[in-house]
Amino acid sequence: MHPSGKLVLPDILAACPFKWSLHPDFERARDESAAWIAGFKVLPEHRRVLFETELLAILVNPLVGYEELRTYCDYSNLLFVVDEYSDELDGAETQKFGDVFVKALSGEPTPVSVFSKIGEDVRSRLIQTAKPKSMERFLARFAGYINAVAKESALRCDNEVLNIESYTRIRRENSAVRTCFALLEYSNGLELPDEVFENPVFMRLYWQGVDVVWLGNDLYSYSMERAKGLEGNNMLTIAMKEKGLSMQEAADYVGDEITQRMNQFVADQKELPSFGEAVDKDVQKFIFSMSQWQVGNIIWSFQSSRYFGAEKDEVKKTLVVNVKSSRDDDDAEEILLE
């Protein structure tokens, strides 16, 4: 649809108002979780290692307990499994595949399914300390995520590209960001009351955080998705189609959308009402964790090989991406392995 070429990424990190740090036990959590998922033999190990799946979970949870960090890493690996397999499935197949995880996380395992066992293991860790309301929220978000991924698979099979409004609605779900935000209650030992999620200022903050993460993913993953023929599920493609933008203009547009939301996230915190002293402390922990997701996702995108392969260090330095097209698909795996 568009020629290959060079894309200059907007410098989102320079505009980001949040600081980042690593959990002190990150190496142990990373290694244990990596060994756990490798034991199931459901993913090519070289891809999982290159993508540093656990690193993102570690970046967004710098202050949590070790067991919670390890569970978050395991959940990140579970999401990676869903993501990798669903790229090859149609809508109905994705729904069936994803429902195995929905049931396993809900305590309804599917006999003789390695994927169910992955979900069971994550659930067994979660239920040790997860509060009832936060667990309920997480399971609802996860079911919504699977439904949206199935919808994404169906759209891909039909070669259908949505408009910005419709795409934003589904992308907020199929990005899995909402499930990861729900899991922040668990990792921080929280159980936020419903009134927090019913508050319009808090929800503005929440959606800003969600949008910053998935928009960042779309910006950084565009070349990789083009190489795999999956760029229909990407805001750059949507913006080019709806607004008549060039590839570079679409990247700049997405960069502006991210920066505006990060700045508004900071501004809106001053407008947040009090929910009472105890709840306010928990709300602040959750908001901090959402800020860590925003900056952590940027750091991970350049640290991992998921988006830029062997060129990641050069891209990090120059912000210039050699964008590939679907005809370069045969080279995509080769690039990662260089």
Side-chain angles (χ1 to χ4, degrees), residues 45 124-125 134 136 139 152 166 169 240 257 264 284:
E45 186 62 8
S124 71
R125 299 186 66 86
S134 66
E136 182 185 312
L139 292 173
E152 175 195 337
S166 300
R169 258 197 318 270
M240 281 187 271
E257 291 290 309
Q264 197 60 48
Q284 288 306 314

Side-chain angles (χ1 to χ4, degrees), residues 152-165:
E152 175 195 337
S153 296
L155 289 168
R156 183 181 66 245
C157 291
D158 293 341
N159 291 316
E160 185 178 346
V161 178
L162 300 173
N163 61 32
I164 289 175
E165 186 182 346

Side-chain angles (χ1 to χ4, degrees), residues 29-252:
R30 178 195 64 201
D31 294 348
E32 288 185 1
S33 188
W36 168 76
I37 196 66
F40 292 103
K41 296 182 169 55
V42 294
L43 292 170
E45 186 62 8
H46 67 275
R47 288 177 70 80
R48 202 205 56 72
V49 169
L50 279 167
F51 297 163
E52 298 191 59
T53 317
E54 303 85 14
L55 177 62
L56 182 54
I58 290 162
L59 279 162
V60 303
N61 285 289
L63 304 177
V64 305
Y66 177 76
E67 288 303 315
E68 287 74 22
L69 178 67
R70 167 63 204 281
T71 304
Y72 217 103
C73 287
D74 288 2
Y75 179 66
S76 297
N77 275 312
L78 181 156
L79 287 176
F80 186 56
V81 172
V82 176
D83 190 49
E84 287 288 289
Y85 277 81
S86 64
D87 282 349
E88 308 297 328
L89 304 174
D90 67 23
E93 291 167 338
T94 297
Q95 188 71 57
K96 186 177 178 184
F97 175 67
D99 282 345
V100 170
F101 291 99
V102 173
K103 288 176 180 172
L105 288 168
S106 303
E108 303 168 28
T110 304
V112 205
S113 166
V114 66
F115 300 111
S116 182
K117 185 68 174 74
I118 292 170
E120 286 176 71
D121 280 8
V122 172
R123 175 183 168 81
S124 71
R125 299 186 66 86
L126 279 173
I127 59 176
Q128 299 300 316
T129 55
K131 309 280 199 307
K133 178 64 75 173
S134 66
M135 188 71 177
E136 182 185 312
R137 243 181 234 123
F138 167 70
L139 292 173
R141 298 287 171 266
F142 188 81
Y145 157 67
I146 293 298
N147 293 341
V149 173
K151 174 70 172 166
E152 175 195 337
S153 296
L155 289 168
R156 183 181 66 245
C157 291
D158 293 341
N159 291 316
E160 185 178 346
V161 178
L162 300 173
N163 61 32
I164 289 175
E165 186 182 346
S166 300
Y167 176 73
T168 297
R169 258 197 318 270
I170 191 172
R171 190 73 178 111
R172 283 171 164 178
E173 302 295 339
N174 72 18
S175 62
V177 180
R178 294 191 75 199
T179 74
C180 293
F181 277 19
L183 209 59
L184 291 173
E185 286 191 76
Y186 157 78
S187 63
N188 285 284
L190 310 177
E191 187 173 39
L192 297 177
D194 288 338
E195 67 170 311
V196 173
F197 286 92
E198 290 161 3
N199 179 271
V201 180
F202 178 84
M203 288 312 294
R204 278 210 310 270
L205 286 161
Y206 175 87
W207 288 120
Q208 287 153 9
V210 169
D211 289 347
V212 166
V213 178
W214 71 256
L215 282 166
N217 286 349
D218 281 16
L219 178 66
Y220 297 133
S221 68
Y222 180 70
S223 179
M224 177 197 79
E225 290 179 349
R226 277 272 299 274
K228 294 166 73 175
L230 301 173
E231 74 272 24
N233 184 57
N234 190 291
M235 182 56 98
L236 271 70
T237 301
I238 308 292
M240 281 187 271
K241 180 186 176 192
E242 183 168 329
K243 293 179 172 288
L245 303 177
S246 68
M247 180 172 67
Q248 184 62 57
E249 288 168 342
D252 293 340

